[in-house]
Amino acid sequence: MTRGFIKMTMGLGLMALAAQQLHAEQRNCAPRDVVLDRLSEKYGESRRGIGLVQQGSVMEVFASDDTGTWTITVTLPNGMTCLVASGQSYEALAEATPARGEKV
């Protein structure tokens, strides 16, 4: 239980640092439509997931089954979309959620 809490806290801390970094460094940012066109045309990526992050920003995951590339973006309330991370070898997973009290 304690070990899981520590991992979760560390993960949340890293996400907060990444969000702060986005506000500090916006050199990898552009209007949302420009970013989406580039991800689609150059890498064949489409949106695979979405979620809300701090201060009204939206986090999205884009990926391509054909190229295996993936990209995580954050769109700020002002409409600018910033690249957070990208990589290769994307795989979609459909893992079942463990039952309550069951260890992973």
Side-chain angles (χ1 to χ4, degrees):
M1 175 74 173
T2 303
R3 186 177 249 174
F5 181 73
I6 291 171
K7 287 181 183 179
M8 184 175 67
T9 302
M10 288 176 60
L12 291 173
L14 289 174
M15 288 191 322
L17 286 173
Q20 288 174 352
Q21 188 72 13
L22 281 177
H23 292 291
E25 292 182 32
Q26 293 192 0
R27 62 179 170 229
N28 289 326
C29 302
R32 187 171 190 279
D33 59 338
V34 172
V35 173
L36 297 186
D37 287 345
R38 178 125 177 144
L39 292 177
S40 176
E41 292 172 11
K42 186 168 183 181
Y43 301 102
E45 295 181 7
S46 61
R47 188 167 60 183
R48 302 301 178 93
I50 188 169
L52 296 176
V53 292
Q54 70 184 38
Q55 300 174 348
S57 298
V58 177
M59 182 276 311
E60 297 171 287
V61 177
F62 295 86
S64 170
D65 290 328
D66 295 333
T67 64
T69 61
W70 58 268
T71 305
I72 298 174
T73 66
V74 170
T75 301
L76 305 172
N78 67 6
M80 294 298 283
T81 297
C82 303
L83 301 178
V84 176
S86 62
Q88 299 176 357
S89 301
Y90 176 81
E91 291 185 37
L93 300 176
E95 295 179 340
T97 304
R100 216 169 217 212
E102 184 178 315
K103 291 187 179 188
V104 180

